[in-house]
Each structure stands twice: as C-alpha cells, then as structure tokens.
Amino acid sequence: MYINTKLVLIFIVLNIVLGIYAKDKEKITIATEAFLFQTDKINTNEIGGLAGKIVVESLKRVNMDYEMMWVPWKRAQNETLLNSNNSTFIIPLTRNNERESKYNWVSHLYNNDTAFFTLKGQKKINDLKSAKNLKIGVLNGSSYEITIKEAQLNYETTTLDESNSKKLVLKKIDAWYTSKINGLMAFKINKVNVNHIAYGRSIDSEKIYIATAKSTPQSLVEKVRKAIEDFKKTERYRVLIDNAIKNN
C-alpha cells in the first residue's frame, strides 16, 4: 500500500513538472520557402541551411520550440504580416526600403551577395545598367525582383528561383539575378556544368534578417532576438558563417 501511494505521488509530481515544462516552452512559427543553402527543407517540420541552422540552434539554447510553414515566398511574407497566431516569424528576409516599415526586424543573421548569372561567352553583367534590354529571370516577390524593378529592367518572375538555372541554359532568359550561393548551388544540383556559366561582380550585399509582424508581442520578439544575438557570439555561429564563405 505504501509503495502504491509512493508511486502515485511520483506520478503526480512528474505530471506537474512536465506540465509546467510544456507550458513554459514557447513555440514560434517559421514561415519560409525552401531556398538552397539558406533554408533547406529536411522534412515537414525540420529546416536546414544557413538561416535555418542559426535560428533553430538559437531557439534550442533557450528551450524554445518551433513549427514550420513551408509556402511559396510571396505567401510566406503575407502569412507573416497576417500573423494569425501572433507568433509567426519569417526567414531569410532581406531588409530594404520597401519592407522597412512593414516588419519588426528581429535580428540580423548574415549578409548575402547577389550577382547576374549568364552563359559563358556573353559579356559579364557587372552593374544594373549593363542589364538594360536583357530579359532577366528573378524570384517572384523577392528582394531580387524589387532591385530589378526599381532599376526599370525587363524581367520575368518564377515561383521557384532555381528553375531560372534551367531557363538560362535553355536561353529562355538572358540572365538570372539571384544570390551567388543560391545560383552556384542550383547549377550544381541541376547538373549544369559551371564551366558554361559566368557571373559578374557583386551587385548588392543584402542584409538577411529574421523578422515578424508588428503585432507580435514585444516580449516574444525580445526573447527571440536575445537568443539569436547570444548565439551569434558563439564559436558555432562563426563556423557556420565560415563554411558559407568557403562555399561561395
């Protein structure tokens, strides 16, 4: 009888402890599209890539949980601003003038250099003016599209950025404007011989952030911000950035 009572008490205490733990473990939603190298989709609720690793490893250090929302990039932005659960964050979002007032910019993750990719033999595009009268491929709703649009260049969009690598090879576009890392990875995955591809000088060094809507409680924003800023001081963060530079 004494043993049974003791077991019941242990069971009750464990449930209380676990209940408190579950209650205290905050969860955020991460909205994104699967971008090569930046937000690789490992499975339905697991993310890799540079941005994914930085955010997830930061959250784990402070006992925070997350759930994934894998959607097309433009919808990811809309869902974040809608913020129906008051805890939706987006990565990897470029901070620029057009978006500045719309979001709460939580934490800077890293910088991402962009360039124009062309077929070898064509003149390299080293600035926006040199892309005039060319048909440029860009990702729909992206910072790349904003840059090309503001420069008043001729372009067409796609909902999957890496599909532009195939369009370039098939000469359906004259050039592809994207990040250097994403471009090089896309050609590799699509088994395109990079010796047939060229890219010009860096056009921009985009500042990549994790961001959320202004309706997200500031206490949650500060908790996520502190988690990431603390992680950025670690050796692990430096290793992730160094590896990204080596692959660039």
Side-chain angles (χ1 to χ4, degrees):
M1 181 70 178
Y2 171 75
I3 295 176
N4 288 338
T5 302
K6 190 174 182 180
L7 288 173
V8 169
L9 288 172
I10 292 173
F11 179 77
I12 292 171
V13 170
L14 281 173
N15 272 277
I16 292 172
V17 171
L18 291 173
I20 293 172
Y21 176 81
K23 184 178 179 181
D24 288 344
K25 193 170 187 180
E26 291 182 272
K27 178 186 285 188
I28 67 170
T29 298
I30 300 175
T32 191
E33 181 177 340
F35 292 117
L36 294 175
F37 190 78
Q38 295 193 80
T39 51
D40 296 322
K41 185 176 181 179
I42 298 174
N43 58 48
T44 304
N45 207 45
E46 189 174 1
I47 184 173
L50 182 57
K53 288 176 181 177
I54 290 172
V55 172
V56 168
E57 293 186 30
S58 297
L59 296 177
K60 285 182 178 178
R61 283 164 53 89
V62 295
N63 195 36
M64 289 188 71
D65 203 358
Y66 70 95
E67 61 181 358
M68 294 302 306
M69 181 191 293
W70 298 102
V71 290
W73 186 234
K74 198 161 189 177
R75 183 181 165 192
Q77 295 172 63
N78 291 336
E79 291 288 348
T80 302
L81 292 174
L82 179 62
N83 201 21
S84 57
N85 62 357
N86 290 322
S87 59
T88 299
F89 292 72
I90 186 171
I91 57 171
L93 192 66
T94 299
R95 189 170 186 171
N96 54 33
N97 291 334
E98 182 173 306
R99 295 170 176 162
E100 183 66 33
S101 63
K102 297 178 182 178
Y103 293 91
N104 189 333
W105 299 92
V106 182
S107 185
H108 173 243
L109 303 179
Y110 52 86
N111 286 353
N112 195 25
D113 289 349
T114 63
F116 285 99
F117 286 87
T118 55
L119 294 177
K120 187 69 70 71
Q122 293 179 310
K123 187 177 180 180
K124 289 183 179 180
I125 303 173
N126 293 319
D127 54 50
L128 292 167
K129 289 182 180 179
S130 300
K132 189 177 181 181
N133 299 323
L134 298 178
K135 183 187 287 186
I136 312 299
V138 292
L139 175 66
N140 185 39
S142 66
S143 57
Y144 315 135
E145 181 184 3
I146 293 172
T147 297
I148 298 301
K149 187 176 181 179
E150 288 179 345
Q152 298 183 329
L153 299 177
N154 178 31
Y155 70 94
E156 62 179 46
T157 63
T158 178
T159 56
L160 186 64
D161 198 22
E162 50 264 37
S163 66
N164 280 311
S165 63
K166 296 179 181 179
K167 291 170 72 174
L168 180 62
V169 172
L170 294 172
K171 299 182 179 180
K172 292 184 177 181
I173 54 175
D174 300 310
W176 174 24
Y177 184 62
T178 188
S179 73
K180 287 183 182 179
I181 291 177
N182 187 62
L184 293 172
M185 291 288 286
F187 289 122
K188 182 177 180 180
I189 289 173
N190 289 319
K191 298 181 180 179
V192 175
N193 189 339
V194 291
N195 291 325
H196 299 158
I197 304 298
Y199 63 88
R201 296 172 187 161
S202 295
I203 302 299
D204 194 9
S205 185
E206 298 186 334
K207 292 179 174 59
I208 306 300
Y209 274 73
I210 177 172
T212 187
K214 293 186 175 181
S215 56
T216 300
Q218 193 59 28
S219 58
L220 179 58
V221 171
E222 290 303 327
K223 189 168 185 178
V224 173
R225 176 181 288 126
K226 187 176 187 307
I228 294 173
E229 292 303 317
D230 286 348
F231 179 73
K232 284 163 62 177
K233 299 173 185 176
T234 67
E235 179 63 25
R236 172 61 177 164
Y237 174 78
R238 286 189 286 273
V239 168
L240 290 174
I241 297 299
D242 288 345
N243 288 340
I245 294 172
K246 289 176 184 176
N247 288 324
N248 196 347

